[in-house]
Amino acid sequence: MGQTRKKHNSEFKAKVAIAAQKGEATVAELSSRFCVYASQIHTWKKALVERFEWHYTPKHGSWLDLAESELGVLSSQCFDRRIPEKQMLIDEIVA
């Protein structure tokens, strides 16, 4: 009689794939720890990498990166409508 195939839930797959992506251990070590084949870990890791858009930023962002981030927030909060008075604009930015 053959063995039944294990069905891993998405939380388990994510945990293994993230551990592989971070490089916490080699794939062989992760395979042994989580009792799955190494090829399966590679498949889950590839799916994880393809699913997300990775943004690599320096550890200490420059002032230009910070300014760009603040302008992005400001544009999503204030630039979609007309603000008639200067004081109202200042109040919106502070909030």
Side-chain angles (χ1 to χ4, degrees):
M1 186 170 190
Q3 291 181 346
T4 59
R5 188 173 173 185
K6 281 188 179 179
K7 292 188 179 185
H8 301 289
N9 62 19
S10 57
E11 183 178 317
F12 176 79
K13 292 177 185 179
K15 181 169 74 170
V16 175
I18 290 170
Q21 179 65 30
K22 285 183 178 179
E24 293 177 359
T26 65
V27 173
E29 292 169 342
L30 292 173
S31 174
S32 177
R33 185 187 326 161
F34 293 109
C35 300
V36 294
Y37 290 111
S39 60
Q40 191 64 62
I41 294 175
H42 287 295
T43 302
W44 293 340
K45 180 181 173 185
K46 183 179 178 187
L48 176 76
V49 170
E50 290 174 351
R51 181 174 181 174
F52 293 103
E53 185 174 331
W54 298 91
H55 295 276
Y56 297 100
T57 56
K59 187 172 184 177
H60 303 287
S62 70
W63 67 270
L64 186 57
D65 293 334
L66 296 173
E68 184 179 2
S69 174
E70 287 296 322
L71 280 173
V73 171
L74 182 65
S75 68
S76 68
Q77 291 176 351
C78 298
F79 291 167
D80 61 343
R81 60 188 166 25
R82 179 162 169 67
I83 299 176
E85 300 171 358
K86 183 178 178 180
Q87 187 58 42
M88 187 175 175
L89 175 63
I90 293 170
D91 293 341
E92 289 284 328
I93 292 172
V94 173

